[in-house]
Amino acid sequence: MLMRGGTSKGAYFLAGDLPAEPALRDDLLLRIMGSPDERQIDGLGGAHPLTSKVAVISPSAHPEADVDYLFLQVVVDRPEVSARQNCGNILAGVGPFAVERGLVPAGERRTSVRIRMVNSGDRATATFPTPGGRVDYTGDAQISGVPGTAAPVAIEFPPGAGKLLPTGSAVDVIDGVEVTCVDNGMPTVLIPATSLQVTGYELPRDLEEDVALTDRLRTIRLAAGRLMGLGDVSDATVPKLTLLAPPRDGGAVSTRTFIPVRCHTSIGVLGAASVAAGLRIDGSVGAELAMIDPGSERVRIEHPTGFLDIESSLATTPDGLPSARRTAVVRTARKIFDGTVFPRAAHRPTGGHR
Ligand code: NQM
């Protein structure tokens, strides 16, 4: 099933319909999506990381989950499929897909699906309308970056078990720049835009073409990956890098996010959850330039095509470190197509026509 999940688009599969062996599965997915090819002309992929995504869904054996969701990023221009990150946008389609495929019974008015995100072991609960026991994708919820309106999918994340500050500090200095490395579902490096000689309000395309900037970002990312305990991240899609600037449209902060090579046209859900948590950490690089309302859980993250609201609050662990108490977000999702996909053949004949 091809679905839009939030501001991303991907192919959703039942795990049982794919090979169990990861190498065989990934080879099939590359041929289905049309990778490696920067246009993905021979497959379902949309020639951008945000439209080259796969969700693999199966019933869960976890006592507090209904389904398992494995997210796979199919790299557009390299023969690579990565399971090293989650995707909170594609997550928005997982509950509706599980109901459509009969993995979870639909409620009479709405349905809550408890999802285990296999990539990280984290969990989330998605609630969406199912009037008369069927998924209804129509509604009046609007999210920035998607035209029109659709049914809301409310997503709640339980208190974070992981370390919000993977390096143990609110600020690290990398390549002469003060950054905050934070992980509230997505390992993210927060960087004040002006410390890299940009405003942080540029168009994504202009930032991607700024070679001096992208060179600096690559250096910072490789060092941050090691500091965050992620090892050599040269071929990984994490950590993401978010340039921060003061808000311009009444939000808490303005962002430009590298995922990690292309600049996001909006922002990822878990990326935004990580930014929102990072802004609340005393002494972080974001705390200084953001406009946070201490009386409200809502943090409005401005991005290139609008904003994303995250409900976020923090707690303090017994050893004095910040941890995520609550994270929630409203997204929308839509079934676009359901049918049979015909993957490119595994081995193409090399010698002319037959
Ligand atoms: O951060 C893009 C997206 C994402 C991931 C990316 C996401 C998230 O917008 O949870 O949703 O950061 O690669 O789909």
Side-chain angles (χ1 to χ4, degrees), residues 41-354:
I41 195 67
D42 209 17
L44 288 182
H48 191 282
L50 298 177
T51 50
S52 184
K53 304 192 158 201
V54 166
V56 183
I57 317 297
S58 52
S60 184
H62 192 285
E64 288 172 57
D66 301 308
V67 294
D68 280 357
Y69 153 48
L70 172 69
F71 171 70
L72 296 170
Q73 179 73 53
V74 179
V75 177
V76 173
D77 55 0
R78 291 197 312 272
E80 262 175 54
V81 176
S82 171
R84 284 190 67 181
Q85 73 164 83
N86 270 333
C87 179
N89 271 307
I90 291 298
L91 172 66
V94 171
F97 176 82
V99 170
E100 295 259 12
R101 287 288 187 263
L103 300 183
V104 176
E108 262 311 296
R109 289 181 53 223
R110 63 178 63 85
T111 304
S112 289
V113 177
R114 299 169 308 160
I115 301 161
R116 186 173 77 99
M117 298 184 275
V118 176
N119 306 72
S120 60
D122 295 337
R123 277 174 292 114
T125 301
T127 304
F128 48 93
T130 48
R134 293 176 69 96
V135 181
D136 184 0
Y137 295 96
T138 61
D140 57 10
Q142 189 164 25
I143 60 173
S144 300
V146 179
T149 64
V153 179
I155 305 175
E156 278 276 341
F157 300 93
K163 280 170 78 182
L164 207 48
L165 290 174
T167 70
S169 9
V171 175
D172 292 287
V173 179
I174 300 180
D175 200 26
V177 176
E178 286 198 345
V179 305
T180 295
C181 300
V182 61
D183 184 353
N184 187 20
M186 182 67 72
T188 305
V189 185
L190 307 180
I191 311 169
T194 51
S195 55
L196 295 178
Q197 287 72 50
V198 291
T199 64
Y201 305 117
E202 292 85 353
L203 291 174
R205 190 184 340 114
D206 294 343
L207 291 172
E208 284 176 356
E209 284 170 4
D210 182 338
V211 178
L213 173 72
T214 53
D215 279 352
R216 286 300 295 285
L217 290 176
R218 192 173 314 113
T219 306
I220 292 172
R221 201 176 82 83
L222 289 178
R226 274 190 212 96
L227 277 181
M228 296 169 88
L230 300 169
D232 177 5
V233 295
S234 3
D235 290 326
T237 56
V238 286
K240 314 287 179 185
L241 303 153
T242 299
L243 304 182
L244 304 178
R248 287 215 298 193
D249 288 311
V253 72
S254 174
T255 62
R256 296 291 182 269
T257 301
F258 284 79
I259 58 169
V261 177
R262 302 298 303 269
C263 182
H264 207 305
T265 50
S266 55
I267 189 169
V269 170
L270 295 163
S274 297
V275 173
L279 301 180
R280 290 195 186 277
I281 296 173
D282 286 342
S284 76
V285 299
E288 283 162 33
L289 52 80
M291 307 281 284
I292 294 275
D293 174 358
S296 164
E297 283 201 344
R298 197 179 77 181
V299 181
R300 177 161 287 185
I301 311 287
E302 297 177 5
H303 59 63
T305 45
F307 60 83
L308 199 157
D309 284 339
I310 295 278
E311 305 272 320
S312 153
S313 64
L314 303 190
T316 307
T317 62
D319 43 2
L321 291 171
S323 69
R325 191 204 316 265
R326 175 169 180 264
T327 306
V329 67
V330 173
R331 298 267 84 190
T332 67
R334 204 173 73 77
K335 170 166 74 170
I336 296 172
F337 173 80
D338 193 8
T340 307
V341 64
F342 297 89
R344 189 178 68 218
H347 300 289
R348 291 176 172 191
T350 48
H353 300 287
R354 274 200 236 172

Side-chain angles (χ1 to χ4, degrees), residues 27-52:
D27 173 66
L28 176 62
L29 291 175
L30 287 165
R31 291 183 286 117
I32 285 175
M33 299 303 276
S35 291
D37 168 27
E38 63 177 34
R39 291 202 302 149
Q40 291 185 317
I41 195 67
D42 209 17
L44 288 182
H48 191 282
L50 298 177
T51 50
S52 184

